[in-house]
Amino acid sequence: MKKKLLYINCNSKPEKLSSSKTVARLFIQKFIELNPNFEVEEVDLYKDHIPRLEYEYIAGRSALVEKEALKQLDDHAQKEIKRINDLCEQFIDCRVYVIAAPMWSLSFPPQLKEYFDCVIQDKKTIKFENKKPKGTLNNVYRSMVYIQSSGGKVPLYLKPILNKGLNYIKYIAKYLGIKKFKSILVDNTGTTEKEREDAIDKATKEIDKVIKSLKY
């Protein structure tokens, strides 16, 4: 049985116009070439339906309604909850995660946050011990790679302050129990195609090193 890599794509641009998606595709191609025992699943956060968590879907802290409470909801709500659970189960079923997203207003597009709101569920990806949440995905070795593009170059000394999207995803990975987190930053894509190509080439050179650092 093959292991799974989940590609989470959060960019509205076609792949040929998106720096983060271009680098992510090259990363995945190289990863599969080196690891043919993996298969790729993909979630496109701009094309695939990602439900918003309405209050009536929630039974408790980070837990969805079940059984009789679920039956009381209308068909639309039941379908939304099934979709949320399917996204969560797909996430749990994977060993490697590759996320491609642009930097937007020092963070990332809102669809990525909504996706993680679906994935983070009590008794599935987290559990509560002494009223404190703890990730459950450390039951096997999992790795996450965050590939982020940005138009400008963020100075090294400002990255901890300004790179809020990267910081959030790194924290979420740790929170869920994912043991290895790496990032590839496609910085300074600029305003011309030459600048963008240079940024992609520079980021692409990191792919081999990142893949070698992963465990799965």
Side-chain angles (χ1 to χ4, degrees):
M1 184 175 180
K2 287 194 172 186
K3 297 178 182 179
K4 294 179 181 180
L5 179 152
L6 181 60
Y7 175 31
I8 303 163
N9 154 28
C10 189
N11 197 317
S12 64
K13 291 181 180 179
E15 189 166 287
K16 65 181 180 180
L17 300 179
S18 166
S19 302
S20 60
K21 287 166 71 172
T22 296
V23 174
R25 186 63 66 189
L26 292 170
F27 181 96
I28 292 167
Q29 288 171 350
K30 183 66 173 181
F31 183 91
I32 295 300
E33 177 185 323
L34 296 172
N35 299 278
N37 59 319
F38 270 79
E39 62 183 8
V40 179
E41 294 190 1
E42 184 169 343
V43 178
D44 187 327
L45 301 186
Y46 271 86
K47 294 180 180 178
D48 298 337
H49 177 52
I50 309 299
R52 291 184 174 178
L53 292 181
E54 302 290 351
Y55 78 93
E56 65 265 35
Y57 302 170
I58 306 298
R61 191 175 177 187
S62 300
L64 297 177
V65 296
E66 298 181 84
K67 299 179 181 178
E68 292 304 317
L70 179 60
K71 293 177 183 178
Q72 300 304 312
L73 299 178
D74 62 25
D75 288 346
H76 173 74
Q78 291 187 39
K79 288 178 181 178
E80 292 287 89
I81 291 170
K82 182 181 184 305
R83 173 63 175 161
I84 294 167
N85 280 322
D86 287 346
L87 289 168
C88 184
E89 293 297 332
Q90 180 188 44
F91 194 87
I92 293 169
D93 202 30
C94 295
R95 293 292 187 90
V96 176
Y97 311 93
V98 177
I99 302 174
M103 178 190 280
W104 276 19
S105 305
L106 308 183
S107 186
F108 43 69
Q111 289 89 341
L112 186 53
K113 174 62 168 59
E114 291 180 334
Y115 173 77
F116 276 110
D117 287 341
C118 293
V119 165
I120 297 173
Q121 291 190 36
D122 186 20
K123 300 182 181 66
K124 292 186 178 181
T125 52
I126 62 170
K127 61 182 178 181
F128 285 86
E129 294 181 350
N130 299 320
K131 297 183 179 180
K132 294 182 179 180
K134 181 179 180 180
T136 64
L137 297 186
N138 58 356
N139 61 321
V140 296
Y141 206 105
R142 292 179 168 89
S143 300
M144 179 177 285
V145 179
Y146 185 58
I147 300 174
Q148 175 188 271
S149 59
S150 59
K153 183 174 178 60
V154 180
L156 183 63
Y157 69 94
L158 287 178
K159 282 186 177 181
I161 300 171
L162 299 182
N163 221 331
K164 297 184 184 301
L166 170 60
N167 294 340
Y168 174 84
I169 298 300
K170 184 176 182 179
Y171 175 78
I172 285 294
K174 182 178 179 181
Y175 174 66
L176 292 173
I178 296 169
K179 293 182 178 180
K180 175 69 75 171
F181 177 86
K182 301 294 287 187
S183 62
I184 297 177
L185 302 182
V186 195
D187 285 338
N188 204 22
T189 57
T191 57
T192 69
E193 185 60 22
K194 176 64 167 57
E195 289 174 318
R196 192 176 85 89
E197 289 175 358
D198 287 346
I200 290 171
D201 288 343
K202 184 177 179 180
T204 300
K205 291 176 182 177
E206 297 184 43
I207 289 176
D208 285 347
K209 179 177 68 176
V210 171
I211 292 175
K212 288 178 181 178
S213 74
L214 304 181
K215 293 182 181 180
Y216 28 78

